[in-house]
Amino acid sequence: MARMDLATLPTPAALLDAARLDHNIAAMRARAAALGVRLRPHVKTTKCWPVVQRQLAAGAAGITVSTLKEAEQFAAQGVRDILYAVGIVPAKLAAVRALREGGCRLTVVLDSVEAAEALVAHGREHGHRFDVMIEIDTDGHRAGLAPDAPALPAVARVLAEGGANLVGVMTHCGASYACRGEAELAAMAEQERARCVAAAQVLRAAGHACPEVSVGSTPTATFARHLEGVTELRAGVYAFHDLVMRGLGVCATGDIALSVLTTVIGHQRDKGWVLVDAGWMAMSRDRGQDDCGYGVVCSEAGEPLPGLLMTGANQEHGIVSRADGTADATLAERLPVGTRLRVLPNHACATAAQFDRYAVLADGTVADSWPRFNGW
């Protein structure tokens, strides 16, 4: 597409800074290389083929997805090595099998004997051998089996006896998002690594091959001091970064590649409010862990405006005001109707999900438009 000035772009719009994106992709690829592991990026944040192309071109070893739609979309683009990192249920096995029979090595995840039994029963019925990873709980945050859970070798036994291929173990340390400071994050990264490796050792001691040990989140990937015993690293939001990552010390403000372009539509002078046309339908309801309201407010050029946040959000209205709660009577004159602003998101995954495309920025202008998708 022809280059377009930001001033002519309809708002609200999701802006993607191409230079920051490429920098973030290269930095995580270098991080994985320094840790001696493969990088399998999670693409749930972006849901965008041009972004995934860049990650694969930078050396990614396959991708991670969180929905079957993601698997279908990227398999259709020729990606052949995909990990579906959400617990598989019987109703989705036919769709998984169809993708695999179409030439995509789609690996599924489970964490119970019941799920393993359903998978091997489907495999027997249809003459299909699934690739499976067992999810390990390394932080008490969400799903998975503890490394010392009696069910762990039992699940492996059901898979082996039923003809499924046990690829290995995987974990996601979501508790890392609640850590504060480099020491806490490094300790959580080591906990993630050690417990997932321990689970693999339990399975090997029980006579099961467990070639792959897959760990990851963007915070633990950033602060891990070593990944001995791990074979691959998964991280996702690093491609865009966001205010949560900034709050954790994972990135700087200047690394955040995603922002929302919005226009001033009015004022409430007595309250010190500036009203914009990006509400929670553009930003999402996610307020993150730090008190950044619904996002940090920047100029149209992307420079943060000191002291200003999107402090409130209705469906299609955003409220920009001072973070300290004081009513600034000068805002109406400084930011008149028609002023273009950018807002940096708390949670890039949630904000990106509000849009069907990214306006791609290069040298301060809109150089391209990349489609994205939603759904399951």
Side-chain angles (χ1 to χ4, degrees), residues 10-373:
T11 59
L15 304 182
L16 181 56
D17 188 304
R20 293 182 182 186
L21 170 70
D22 289 341
H23 167 80
N24 295 340
I25 289 172
M28 186 57 75
R29 181 68 191 93
R31 179 69 180 146
L35 290 166
V37 295
R38 300 189 305 272
L39 176 63
R40 180 185 294 275
H42 207 313
V43 300
K44 67 175 182 177
T45 302
T46 68
K47 288 185 170 68
C48 176
W49 175 235
V51 176
V52 174
Q53 281 182 299
R54 279 166 162 71
Q55 291 173 307
L56 293 171
I63 62 174
T64 310
V65 302
S66 61
T67 69
L68 281 177
K69 185 168 185 178
E70 291 165 35
E72 291 163 355
Q73 291 279 328
F74 295 122
Q77 296 288 350
V79 182
R80 290 292 173 261
D81 188 355
I82 301 177
L83 172 63
Y84 176 30
V86 175
I88 191 63
V89 295
K92 295 180 180 180
L93 287 169
V96 171
R97 178 167 50 83
L99 282 167
R100 288 173 55 80
E101 291 173 348
C104 176
R105 187 198 174 204
L106 179 59
T107 300
V108 297
V109 167
L110 51 78
D111 66 356
S112 70
V113 169
E114 294 82 2
E117 288 174 340
L119 179 138
V120 298
H122 185 99
R124 285 196 198 101
E125 181 181 356
H126 297 280
H128 189 83
R129 180 180 173 89
F130 288 97
D131 289 325
V132 183
M133 298 192 88
I134 302 176
E135 185 166 8
I136 306 303
D137 178 6
T138 56
D139 61 357
H141 176 71
R142 197 165 60 193
L145 293 168
D148 59 354
L152 179 58
V155 169
R157 185 168 59 253
V158 169
L159 295 173
E161 293 175 352
N165 176 37
L166 176 59
V167 174
V169 291
M170 58 81 68
T171 190
H172 169 67
C173 200
S176 62
Y177 283 67
C179 293
R180 287 296 178 269
E182 182 174 347
E184 280 190 25
L185 283 159
M188 187 59 72
E190 174 56 18
Q191 177 177 310
E192 177 185 54
R193 182 207 69 82
R195 293 184 180 179
C196 202
V197 169
Q201 292 169 339
V202 167
L203 293 175
R204 292 165 186 156
H208 303 285
C210 186
E212 302 295 338
V213 178
S214 178
V215 306
S217 70
T218 294
T220 54
T222 302
F223 290 100
R225 290 174 179 159
H226 73 92
L227 288 180
E228 183 180 350
V230 171
T231 60
E232 75 174 19
L233 179 66
R234 302 183 329 279
V237 75
Y238 74 89
F240 286 178
H241 284 311
D242 54 27
L243 294 172
V244 170
M245 292 299 104
R246 186 190 72 170
L248 291 172
V250 170
C251 72
T253 302
D255 296 321
I256 300 175
L258 180 69
S259 61
V260 174
L261 183 69
T262 186
T263 304
V264 175
I265 59 174
H267 305 91
Q268 290 284 353
R269 285 175 170 80
D270 59 329
K271 299 175 182 176
W273 289 359
V274 176
L275 304 179
V276 298
D277 63 357
W280 58 256
M281 286 291 286
M283 298 304 304
S284 89
R285 284 282 196 186
D286 201 326
R287 292 177 63 93
Q289 282 93 340
D290 294 317
D291 190 11
C292 292
Y294 291 90
V296 167
V297 178
C298 303
S299 68
E300 182 181 36
E303 294 298 323
L305 299 178
L308 295 187
L309 298 178
M310 181 179 282
T311 53
N314 300 120
Q315 186 166 330
E316 303 294 351
H317 292 71
I319 298 171
V320 171
S321 64
R322 289 193 59 82
D324 61 13
T326 60
D328 186 344
T330 70
L331 283 182
E333 286 66 43
R334 289 161 49 201
L335 303 175
V337 170
T339 301
R340 296 295 186 102
L341 301 170
R342 290 199 219 174
V343 185
L344 302 179
N346 287 313
H347 184 183
C349 306
T351 297
Q354 311 306 307
F355 297 90
D356 66 355
R357 64 191 55 253
Y358 303 109
V360 182
L361 302 183
D363 300 321
T365 62
V366 180
D368 209 343
S369 178
W370 292 348
R372 74 178 306 283
F373 58 88

